[in-house]
Amino acid sequence: MSALTDAVRAGRTSEAVGLLDGMTAAERRAELPELKALRKELRADRWSSEATRAHPALHAAGAICQTGAAAVASWLAGTDMRWSQSSPELLLHLLGDRDPDWLADVAHRLAERPTGTNVPYELMAGLVRLSGCPVPTTEAYVQGWVWHLGGTWRESDTLVERLRKEPHLAALVPAMFETNEVGSSLWWLGSEGPNSWPGALSQLAEEGVLERKTLIDVCVARLLRGGQTNGLRVCLRLLKALALTREEQRERTADWLALASDSLSLVASHAQSVLAALVLDGDLLPRQLAEMSEAVLFRNEKKLVRAQLTLLGKVLAREPSAADLLLPAAAQAFGHRDPDVQERALKLVERHAGKVAAPEARDELVASAEQLIPSLRSRAAEAIGATAPAPEPLVHEEVLPPAPEPIRLPLAPESATELAEEISALLESADDVAAFEGALDGIVRQAHVNREALLEALDPVAGRCWWDQRPKPGDLSQADQHFSTHHGLADPSDALALILATLRGRVGTATLQASLQRWTVSTGCVHGPLACAFEARVWEIAHRLRTDPLPFLLSTPTWSTGLLDPDELVERLDAYKSSGVRVAECDFAQALLRVGREDRSAAEAAAGRARALGTAEGTRLAQWLTAGDPALPLDRQRTSDTRVLLEFGEVEELQADFPQEFRHLGRRVAAPRKGWCYRHWNVGLRRHWLAVLPERRELVAVRILRDLSAVALDDERGAAEILPPLAESGGEAGEAVHLCLAYGLGARHEQDRLAAVDALLVLAARGQLDGDRLGADLGQLVRRGAVKPTRLAESARTAAATGAEATVWRVLRHALPILLADLAGAAAPGSIGSTAVTRGLGELLGVAAECVERSGARGELPHLARAADRRGASRLVSQARRLRDALNREAAA
């Protein structure tokens, strides 16, 4: 080992620098092989104290010993030394005597690296200064510059003063608005005050340090391109600080029109205000205003739509001759989803319809009027002289998406290389239950027939994983330490890590043996039994890989829902018998829970073949298949507070002849006591829990019900993603499934509500949706404050927009009477209460009215008449009247 390598290994940076300063270029190149070997050695355990001590000196020494610019840049940006780099000052000292063109090449190569490589800005800027090259305008360089300026301020040094000293200001400022992340950085570093970027840049533009036109152009271009909201806010504040003149605004009319029609709401609002000022000053032609209106009135934001209608009204009052152009544009709002907007647009048309002269314009108004809700069409017909619409027929054809069909899972990969590729993808994201189960079975199969080939194929995959670090002699590996003390598998990737680490000898036999005793008692967590069953099987597979390898798994599902065909399980047991393989207890228990029993004829036929095997497992399978449909507990009841939960009694058939780890699945489910919350930390396993009990989704739903209630009551995010797989699963869709769905429809976050809508449509398409039950649940949850009516209205509107108006109405007709009854009993005659339910009830009534109008439903809704007869013109009253009129409308003859 050379003196340089010895100093680097010991972390003696000063000594290493002294040695390097005294070497020739050839001597440095000769040191490089030993430095590379040291780096490879330290990479195996990059977080050890030895690596942390050596990396700063290694970072500097390796860079100075390289010859090519590309090699130096690659060394300096290496991920293994990202958090233990040498200082930029030292690197600049060591590299400073190189050729300027070479330094420029290094600077630009470093600047082109992704921002996540953490190349210090000071290093890149120093290389630019030493070389005299043009400044890079890449995202890494510009973002580093922005954060450098924001992090080096002094009390007597403002941002404007720091910017004035920047020699490359004219190139860097426009580049800020062309990169993806810098706008958000500007926001977090200060969007207001004396050190704000908008204020500083506008001041420099006023002083002539920056070109004003360039600054405006890059801001507008960034707004047109879109991006993160915070970055767009910075652009808007800069534009406002620059105080564009009327001429500057007029030059960019086309840009404002594009922004008003297709950009974020805050950007569109600003563009609309600029265009409105141009219109009122006479700088925008009626044709351009009509073009703008057709785009803006198509948007969902009611504030923008109302402002546009107001602007149209002002122009029509001042320029009656523009009615032929502007009124058809205003009529675009007839198709808006908000009935209040439709009525506002109709009032505008009624006010100015007499000014329309061109027959073509009147024809456009007549055509647009067909989009109005039925209660407004008669008024439109009277205003524009069209024929009043005929009563709609009662016949309505429900449009539902096709029910999803289970997908038969492919066989496990035949080669170890293919399997390794699948495992590599799964380690990044193992949410796909089918892929996970296929990989698990593939590992077992390949390890049984060709273990060495599998280990060789897995080398590139395992080499980048934390659990594959080789321990020092006498020490436990990181994987063994982790899995011997863990408190549950965090996600499916963690489960795969356990299996692979066992296969590669990183988990000891003692750890695996101890794990077999871990799950004998379930935790108090309501999710515990589901997690226990999943994890016990994974640990058993890992133990058998080490001690008694299986040829394949019995429990690998046949279908994407987790279901296992009875005939296939019989064939697997027969193969086990022929080979003399000892059945794995948890694997067989999981196979029993997955085997399909709903098809009674297929189950009974398979039972006969299973009994003929003459094995204990064949007899147990035959008994299981002939036991009848999967049973649910007889004892079921609700617990009610703000949060409605369920309690289930024991499931008898899951108690006997199952391993202890699986019996907890059938134990009593008690609702948590008031104020107590179970939040299972390994929520990444939720989808896999359904595959534990693919024909008993009620037993899964009751255990995740608390999680689903949190998306509505506690504004949590993500739990509702389980709802579509729950709807696609097997077994009864009973009280627990519908209550989970009810909470999902009232979720705080849109992605959760969309998942709930998908589940609702799946259940409806499969004929498993109980609209009466779901409606009653929703009415009670809204009444108790667990679900906000505005959120429910959004979900109902989304579902109805797919063509499922009749389905949505079947649900709402049982939810609304509960809310209307409370309203009727609590409010004084002639007035409407001001509770939270009341504020959102108008939205819900509006969706119900739309569903009735489109589906042709008729009849009476309890307590609706009393709400409709109230005084006033609030949204609640107007929509109650609209719903009453729709339900009482005469059918066509």
Side-chain angles (χ1 to χ4, degrees):
M1 181 185 297
S2 69
L4 176 62
T5 305
D6 184 61
V8 168
R9 180 184 289 278
R12 299 192 296 269
T13 304
S14 298
E15 181 182 338
V17 171
L19 292 170
L20 289 166
D21 282 341
M23 291 181 182
T24 64
E27 289 172 335
R28 290 172 178 173
R29 286 195 298 272
E31 295 283 351
L32 193 57
E34 283 195 10
L35 295 174
K36 288 182 176 178
L38 176 59
R39 181 182 182 184
K40 183 177 181 181
E41 176 188 335
L42 296 177
R43 188 182 289 135
D45 192 4
R46 68 181 66 172
W47 302 113
S48 67
S49 58
E50 181 183 8
T52 304
R53 180 175 61 250
H55 273 156
L58 180 61
H59 189 243
I64 193 64
C65 291
Q66 299 279 0
T67 301
V72 171
S74 178
W75 186 281
L76 290 173
T79 57
D80 53 331
M81 294 182 284
R82 181 183 305 174
W83 305 111
S84 301
Q85 298 182 358
S86 183
S87 69
E89 294 80 6
L90 177 59
L91 293 171
L92 292 172
H93 163 74
L94 293 171
L95 298 172
D97 60 348
R98 302 288 181 96
D99 179 74
D101 290 341
W102 185 90
L103 291 174
D105 193 4
V106 175
H108 280 264
R109 287 179 183 275
L110 289 175
E112 289 168 0
R113 294 274 174 166
T115 56
T117 55
N118 290 352
V119 177
Y121 164 76
E122 293 82 1
L123 174 60
M124 294 185 287
L127 292 171
V128 169
R129 183 181 66 254
L130 290 172
S131 66
C133 67
V135 65
T137 54
T138 63
E139 184 166 340
Y141 192 93
V142 175
Q143 185 162 316
W145 175 68
V146 168
W147 281 101
H148 174 75
L149 286 178
T152 58
W153 63 276
R154 299 184 299 273
E155 290 184 5
S156 59
D157 192 11
T158 65
L159 179 59
V160 171
E161 292 170 342
R162 297 195 298 278
L163 289 171
R164 286 198 190 101
K165 299 172 186 176
E166 173 57 59
H168 305 289
L169 188 65
L172 290 172
V173 168
M176 288 193 308
F177 297 95
E178 295 172 2
T179 54
N180 294 327
E181 301 294 336
V182 173
S184 295
S185 301
L186 297 180
W187 175 264
W188 290 113
L189 287 170
S191 56
E192 296 179 342
N195 269 313
S196 73
W197 281 86
L201 294 177
S202 63
Q203 183 176 336
L204 292 175
E206 185 178 347
E207 295 172 1
V209 177
L210 290 171
E211 186 178 352
R212 178 182 174 87
K213 183 178 184 303
T214 300
L215 209 51
I216 296 172
D217 286 343
V218 295
C219 273
V220 173
R222 178 56 188 270
L223 293 177
L224 287 168
R225 191 170 71 250
Q228 295 185 352
T229 304
N230 286 338
L232 299 183
R233 284 198 179 104
V234 172
C235 291
L236 283 178
R237 289 190 173 172
L238 178 53
L239 283 178
K240 293 176 181 178
L242 290 169
L244 273 62
T245 64
R246 182 66 73 223
E247 182 60 30
E248 289 171 331
Q249 292 177 338
R250 191 183 305 111
E251 289 174 356
R252 295 166 178 80
T253 297
D255 295 332
W256 305 127
L257 287 170
L259 291 172
S261 62
D262 187 23
S263 61
L264 289 179
S265 183
L266 75 160
V267 178
S269 180
H270 176 76
Q272 184 185 45
S273 65
V274 173
L275 290 169
L278 292 174
V279 167
L280 297 177
D281 287 348
D283 293 326
L284 204 67
L285 298 174
R287 174 185 55 78
Q288 292 173 303
L289 176 58
E291 176 187 342
M292 168 193 175
S293 299
E294 289 180 357
V296 173
L297 296 176
F298 186 74
R299 299 181 65 113
N300 288 328
E301 299 95 331
K302 290 185 282 188
K303 182 179 179 181
L304 292 176
V305 173
R306 290 168 180 167
Q308 193 66 25
L309 291 173
T310 300
L311 176 62
L312 286 169
K314 291 179 180 179
V315 175
L316 285 167
R318 191 177 63 185
E319 301 181 41
S321 60
D324 288 343
L325 275 173
L326 299 184
L327 274 188
Q332 295 296 315
F334 287 175
H336 198 276
R337 68 178 189 177
D338 187 349
D340 288 346
V341 170
Q342 292 188 20
E343 187 169 12
R344 187 182 291 260
L346 179 57
K347 287 180 180 178
L348 179 64
V349 170
E350 287 173 332
R351 192 178 308 122
H352 300 283
K355 301 172 184 175
V356 176
E360 298 83 2
R362 190 168 295 278
D363 290 343
E364 286 187 52
L365 291 174
V366 171
S368 297
E370 295 179 2
Q371 303 177 74
L372 289 166
I373 60 176
S375 59
L376 297 179
R377 289 180 199 168
S378 298
R379 283 175 51 184
E382 183 179 346
I384 59 182
T387 304
E392 294 181 351
L394 283 173
V395 178
H396 171 73
E397 184 177 353
E398 179 84 318
V399 179
L400 291 170
E405 294 291 336
I407 300 172
R408 191 176 187 89
L409 302 188
L411 298 176
E414 294 184 0
S415 73
T417 302
E418 292 178 45
L419 178 61
E421 291 175 355
E422 290 191 10
I423 291 171
S424 179
L426 280 170
L427 286 172
E428 299 297 326
S429 176
D431 288 339
D432 188 333
V433 177
F436 172 83
E437 291 289 344
L440 206 58
D441 187 49
I443 292 170
V444 171
R445 289 175 182 269
Q446 291 291 335
H448 188 263
V449 298
N450 198 342
R451 195 183 193 94
E452 294 305 318
L454 177 59
L455 288 172
E456 183 180 351
L458 287 173
D459 268 338
V461 178
R464 62 176 186 267
C465 297
W466 64 267
W467 45 261
D468 201 52
Q469 308 303 322
R470 288 186 177 275
K472 294 180 180 179
D475 290 346
L476 292 176
S477 70
Q478 289 189 30
D480 212 2
Q481 293 177 38
H482 172 77
F483 288 115
S484 63
T485 58
H486 86 301
H487 299 286
L489 301 175
D491 51 40
S493 298
D494 206 22
L496 275 179
L498 169 63
I499 297 295
L500 297 175
T502 300
L503 188 66
R504 292 177 63 82
R506 303 294 188 260
V507 178
T509 304
T511 298
L512 297 171
Q513 185 67 39
S515 72
L516 298 181
Q517 309 301 322
R518 179 173 293 142
W519 300 111
T520 55
V521 178
S522 177
T523 65
C525 173
V526 71
H527 313 93
L530 296 167
C532 175
F534 175 87
E535 295 185 33
R537 172 173 169 256
V538 172
W539 278 97
E540 182 188 68
I541 292 170
H543 185 261
R544 290 294 294 266
L545 277 172
R546 173 65 53 78
T547 61
D548 185 13
L550 297 165
F552 53 83
L553 296 178
L554 294 173
S555 58
T556 303
T558 310
W559 302 96
S560 55
T561 58
L563 207 61
L564 173 59
D565 278 351
D567 287 339
E568 192 160 341
L569 181 53
V570 173
E571 291 174 5
R572 293 174 186 176
L573 286 173
D574 190 20
Y576 265 42
K577 176 186 175 183
S578 300
S579 303
V581 178
R582 180 172 60 89
V583 171
E585 187 178 36
C586 290
D587 185 43
F588 180 59
Q590 179 62 87
L592 288 179
L593 293 178
R594 284 179 174 168
V595 72
R597 296 194 295 175
E598 289 187 340
D599 185 342
R600 298 308 308 152
S601 59
E604 290 173 3
R609 291 190 290 274
R611 192 175 287 107
L613 293 176
T615 62
E617 289 78 20
T619 302
R620 175 75 177 99
L621 174 59
Q623 293 170 346
W624 182 256
L625 290 172
T626 56
D629 294 331
L632 287 176
L634 298 176
D635 178 20
R636 286 174 275 178
Q637 61 183 2
R638 292 191 172 212
T639 62
S640 299
D641 191 19
T642 301
R643 196 184 310 266
V644 176
L645 299 175
L646 296 176
E647 293 186 343
F648 275 16
E650 290 194 352
V651 181
E652 294 291 338
E653 67 174 356
L654 294 180
Q655 300 303 308
D657 298 326
F658 273 95
Q660 185 67 31
E661 298 88 342
F662 282 75
R663 292 180 190 174
H664 301 289
L665 292 169
R667 297 283 168 82
R668 181 176 180 273
V669 179
R673 58 184 179 273
K674 186 176 180 180
W676 183 259
C677 175
Y678 293 123
R679 284 187 173 87
H680 207 75
W681 68 284
N682 50 0
V683 294
L685 296 173
R686 282 196 189 111
R687 286 179 176 267
H688 294 260
W689 290 342
L690 279 171
V692 172
L693 294 164
E695 278 191 342
R696 291 177 175 81
R697 56 181 160 188
E698 277 285 286
L699 296 183
V700 178
V702 74
R703 294 189 180 277
I704 62 172
L705 183 55
R706 178 62 177 73
D707 299 3
L708 269 297
S709 70
V711 302
L713 272 153
D714 306 324
D715 293 350
E716 293 188 9
R717 185 193 300 267
E721 68 179 5
I722 192 64
L723 289 175
L726 185 68
E728 295 175 26
S729 191
E732 179 183 338
E735 193 171 9
V737 169
H738 281 79
L739 198 50
C740 283
L741 179 57
Y743 280 120
L745 292 171
R748 161 68 175 83
H749 299 285
E750 183 180 15
Q751 65 185 32
D752 287 314
R753 294 198 299 272
L754 289 175
V757 169
D758 287 344
L760 182 147
L761 296 175
V762 168
L763 287 173
R766 297 181 70 186
Q768 297 170 343
L769 181 69
D770 187 337
D772 298 4
R773 183 197 297 270
L774 180 59
D777 283 344
L778 286 168
Q780 290 296 335
L781 292 178
V782 172
R783 183 173 176 240
R784 294 173 180 277
V787 166
K788 290 181 170 56
T790 50
R791 297 175 186 174
L792 175 57
E794 283 298 314
S795 296
R797 183 179 286 111
T798 301
T802 67
E805 292 94 350
T807 294
V808 174
W809 170 241
R810 281 197 298 272
V811 174
L812 293 182
R813 73 178 180 183
H814 289 89
L816 288 172
I818 298 172
L819 307 178
L820 292 171
D822 278 357
L823 182 69
S831 66
I832 290 292
S834 59
T835 64
V837 172
T838 301
R839 285 195 298 271
L841 187 52
E843 293 288 336
L844 207 53
L845 287 167
V847 178
E850 183 176 348
C851 291
V852 169
E853 290 163 353
R854 293 183 181 277
S855 67
R858 298 293 181 265
E860 295 291 331
L861 188 69
H863 311 294
L864 176 63
R866 189 166 181 178
D869 288 338
R870 303 278 180 168
R871 295 194 301 267
S874 68
R875 183 167 181 78
L876 190 154
V877 173
S878 64
Q879 296 307 310
R881 292 169 181 167
R882 175 189 171 192
L883 177 57
R884 180 184 61 183
D885 292 345
L887 287 170
N888 294 332
R889 187 171 295 116
E890 292 183 4

